[in-house]
């Protein structure tokens, strides 16, 4: 039997049983697979599973964009201008992002929302199935490492045992496997198979009251108003903030919760002066910039209990020294309870920063003051356990902590 076939037998859950040789020939004993053999086979299997998953997700994305193309064509035929624009914008957004966060879910047209819900459900099932595959491969590999360890212990091979222990630690600390374990736990339990066919029953014609959808009214908690997503007050010039996870392990939270952020910068107090000179124009900007975040919080597969805390850490940087980044303020926002599938949007209080920028036509420039740099947004349950955390930009990952940061007021109109 070849070494490859032996490894397949091992990782396939089989023992080391061998067929007996013909009576006329002596039995052939094959060498047991080494740690290097098992490791190579495991890593190859993991890569193949991940590649297959990427292809499956790619096909799923293509199917969704094809569906949007067909929907847009159908709506054009009906002359529904607003619906066509909505579908067209969603297609452009999805082709750039490749996902459908809660903040991008449409209310109209109904066909678009159904396509979005179907895609999210299909993606969730693909992710769970992939997680189960990776967990199964890892568990079989762990079993074989234990068998090798047992053999090496009997031989008192200390160097070999050290290598196996190090590989076991590496396996248990693998973030991809940890993420798969967390996701595999969310798979719905399979219904029990009945011992005998169920007795046919008459159709139930009782009229039942459908379950009430999540509350869609504005909820006030302290000084903050939580608006159902899509019902928040209109605001111009909101810029999307690309949120990042600090670690692969923390990315698991995206299956249960969702965060979104946009930023509005009020320049009403920023004064701009232009001074024409001899063949030269001088420009000067000075004043306060008011930066306000709009945060969307959604519960996807777990409820968010009442009394949870949204923590926003605001960061600024010096206008002339990009490396001079500092925390300006920490804001705490108590949240209402959110049931699964529910989403709220809330505006933070924001920060005010002073800016000075002088430019001459000769190329001279003078800058001082500070400007908005980024955010760390964290959600903690009433006991202080982190539920989800993301930041923007990615350079703030190193500042992301696991515990609740104390509130901090900002020193207003900072000029340096």
């Amino acid at each position: 039997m070849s070494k490859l076939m032996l490894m397949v037998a091992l990782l396939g859950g089989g023992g080391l049983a061998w067929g007996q040789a013909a009576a006329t020939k002596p039995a052939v004993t094959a060498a047991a697979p080494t740690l290097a053999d098992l490791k190579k086979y495991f890593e190859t299997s993991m890569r193949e599973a991940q590649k297959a998953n990427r292809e499956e997700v790619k096909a799923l994305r293509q199917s969704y964009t094809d569906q949007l193309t067909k929907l847009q064509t159908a709506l054009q035929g009906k002359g529904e201008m607003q619906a066509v624009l909505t579908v067209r914008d969603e297609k452009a957004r999805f082709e750039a992002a490749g996902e459908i966060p809660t903040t991008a879910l449409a209310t109209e047209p109904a066909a678009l929302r159904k396509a979005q819900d179907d895609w999210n459900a299909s993606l969730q099932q693909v992710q769970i199935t992939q997680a189960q595959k990776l967990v199964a491969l890892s568990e079989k590999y762990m079993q074989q490492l234990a068998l090798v360890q047992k053999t090496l212990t009997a031989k008192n091979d200390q160097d070999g045992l050290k290598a196996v222990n190090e590989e076991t630690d590496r396996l248990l600390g693998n973030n991809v496997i940890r993420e798969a374990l967390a996701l595999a736990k969310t798979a719905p339990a399979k219904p029990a198979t009945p011992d005998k066919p169920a007795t046919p029953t008459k159709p139930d014609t009782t009229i039942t009251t459908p379950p009430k959808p999540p509350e869609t009214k504005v909820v006030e908690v302290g000084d903050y108003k939580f608006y159902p997503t899509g019902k928040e007050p209109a605001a111009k010039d909101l810029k999307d903030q690309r949120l990042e996870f600090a670690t692969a392990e923390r990315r698991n939270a995206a299956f249960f919760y969702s965060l979104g952020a946009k930023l509005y910068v009020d320049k009403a107090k920023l004064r701009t002066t232009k001074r024409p000179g001899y063949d030269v124009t001088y420009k000067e900007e000075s004043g306060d910039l008011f930066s306000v975040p709009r945060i969307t919080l959604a519960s996807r597969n777990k409820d968010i209990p009442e009394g949870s805390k949204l923590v926003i850490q605001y960061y600024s940087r010096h206008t002339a020294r990009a490396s001079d980044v500092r925390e300006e303020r920490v804001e705490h926002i108590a949240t209402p309870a959110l049931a699964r599938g529910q989403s709220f949007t809330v505006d933070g209080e924001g920060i005010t920063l002073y800016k000075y920028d002088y430019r001459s036509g000769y190329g001279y420039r003078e800058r001082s003051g500070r400007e908005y740099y980024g955010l760390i947004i964290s959600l903690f349950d009433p006991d202080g356990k982190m539920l989800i955390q993301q930041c923007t930009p990615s350079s703030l990952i190193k500042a992301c902590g696991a515990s609740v940061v104390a509130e901090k007021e900002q020193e207003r109109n900072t000029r340096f």
Side-chain angles (χ1 to χ4, degrees):
M1 180 181 291
S2 69
K3 188 173 290 185
L4 177 61
M5 292 176 65
L6 177 58
M7 286 188 285
V8 171
L10 282 168
L11 289 174
L16 294 177
W18 299 88
Q20 293 182 349
T24 57
K25 295 182 180 181
V28 179
T29 303
T34 65
L35 173 61
D37 294 331
L38 293 172
K39 181 179 178 180
K40 181 179 179 181
Y41 184 80
F42 169 70
E43 291 178 346
T44 300
S45 300
M46 291 285 286
R47 284 195 298 269
E48 289 176 351
Q50 290 171 318
K51 180 181 178 181
N53 178 253
R54 287 193 296 270
E55 293 298 324
E56 193 171 3
V57 172
K58 182 180 178 180
L60 201 60
R61 286 174 176 153
Q62 185 60 52
S63 176
Y64 178 66
T65 55
D66 290 345
Q67 192 174 358
L68 293 186
T69 300
K70 292 179 182 178
L71 178 58
Q72 182 177 332
T73 301
L75 293 171
Q76 285 176 339
K78 296 179 181 179
E80 299 182 14
M81 177 65 74
Q82 183 57 58
V84 170
L85 287 173
T86 301
V87 174
R88 181 174 176 272
D89 290 346
E90 164 59 10
K91 184 179 178 183
R93 185 207 62 77
F94 181 81
E95 288 176 342
E99 59 181 1
I100 309 177
T102 305
T103 53
L105 292 176
T107 53
E108 295 292 339
L112 173 58
R113 178 55 183 268
K114 184 179 185 304
Q116 290 178 319
D117 290 340
D118 289 346
W119 190 88
N120 274 329
S122 298
L123 179 64
Q124 177 180 327
Q125 185 55 54
V126 167
Q127 291 173 332
I128 291 176
T129 302
Q130 169 70 357
Q132 291 171 332
K133 290 178 181 178
L134 298 185
V135 169
L137 279 172
S138 303
E139 288 177 341
K140 289 176 181 177
Y141 183 43
M142 185 171 61
Q143 288 176 333
Q144 297 311 314
L145 289 177
L147 288 175
V148 173
Q149 186 180 44
K150 184 178 180 180
T151 301
L152 295 173
T153 299
K155 296 179 179 180
N156 195 26
D157 186 344
Q158 296 302 317
D159 291 338
L161 283 171
K162 181 181 178 182
V164 172
N165 289 335
E166 289 175 350
E167 177 62 11
T168 302
D169 289 341
R170 190 183 71 87
L171 176 67
L172 296 176
N174 189 307
N175 285 330
V176 173
I177 296 171
R178 284 175 173 266
E179 186 175 343
L181 279 167
L183 192 55
K185 291 179 182 178
T186 65
K190 295 181 179 180
T193 304
D195 295 332
K196 58 181 180 179
T199 305
T201 57
K202 294 181 180 180
D204 186 1
T205 58
T206 305
I207 299 176
T208 58
T209 304
K212 293 182 179 181
E215 292 289 337
T216 56
K217 63 182 181 180
V218 177
V219 178
E220 294 189 35
V221 181
D223 296 330
Y224 298 89
K225 290 185 178 180
F226 290 80
Y227 297 89
T229 301
K231 305 295 183 180
E232 62 273 11
K236 294 182 179 180
D237 302 322
L238 280 172
K239 294 185 178 180
D240 286 320
Q241 303 293 289
R242 182 181 178 86
L243 298 178
E244 307 282 353
F245 286 97
T247 65
E249 187 174 357
R250 291 187 186 178
R251 191 177 291 114
N252 297 335
F255 184 75
F256 305 108
Y257 315 102
S258 175
L259 283 175
K262 296 182 179 182
L263 189 78
Y264 168 69
V265 180
D266 185 350
K267 300 180 180 180
K269 294 185 178 181
L270 183 67
R271 299 177 297 277
T272 303
T273 305
K274 289 185 178 181
R275 302 172 184 173
Y278 181 72
D279 290 336
V280 177
T281 299
Y282 301 84
K283 182 180 179 181
E284 181 181 275
E285 285 185 330
S286 64
D288 291 336
L289 292 174
F290 182 40
S291 302
V292 182
R294 173 164 286 185
I295 310 298
T296 296
L297 175 63
S299 173
R300 303 181 69 178
N301 290 294
K302 274 189 179 180
D303 296 343
I304 297 176
E306 183 177 1
S308 294
K309 187 176 295 182
L310 193 64
V311 178
I312 307 175
Q313 295 170 252
Y314 296 84
Y315 285 81
S316 72
R317 68 178 172 188
H318 195 282
T319 55
R321 300 189 297 272
S323 60
D324 182 1
V325 175
R326 74 184 185 199
E327 184 184 75
E328 288 288 342
R329 180 184 184 186
V330 179
E331 180 180 9
H332 286 194
I333 304 176
T335 72
L338 274 79
R340 297 186 187 190
Q342 195 173 18
S343 174
F344 277 124
T345 297
V346 61
D347 291 340
E349 291 184 351
I351 54 174
T352 301
L353 298 167
Y354 177 82
K355 171 185 178 181
Y356 175 80
D357 191 348
Y358 173 82
R359 303 184 189 189
S360 75
Y362 294 111
Y364 174 76
R365 186 176 188 183
E366 180 183 347
R367 290 180 291 173
S368 63
R370 305 190 71 81
E371 60 187 358
Y372 165 84
Y373 180 69
L375 303 167
I376 297 177
I377 308 170
S378 311
L379 177 67
F380 297 89
D381 70 8
D383 296 324
K385 178 184 176 182
M386 180 187 291
L387 301 181
I388 187 171
Q389 180 188 71
Q390 290 184 269
C391 68
T392 182
S394 58
S395 56
L396 287 179
I397 286 176
K398 60 186 178 183
C400 292
S403 57
V404 179
V405 181
E407 286 189 277
K408 174 184 175 182
E409 292 298 324
Q410 182 202 4
E411 296 180 9
R412 300 296 183 183
N413 297 323
T414 304
R415 294 176 179 267
F416 302 100

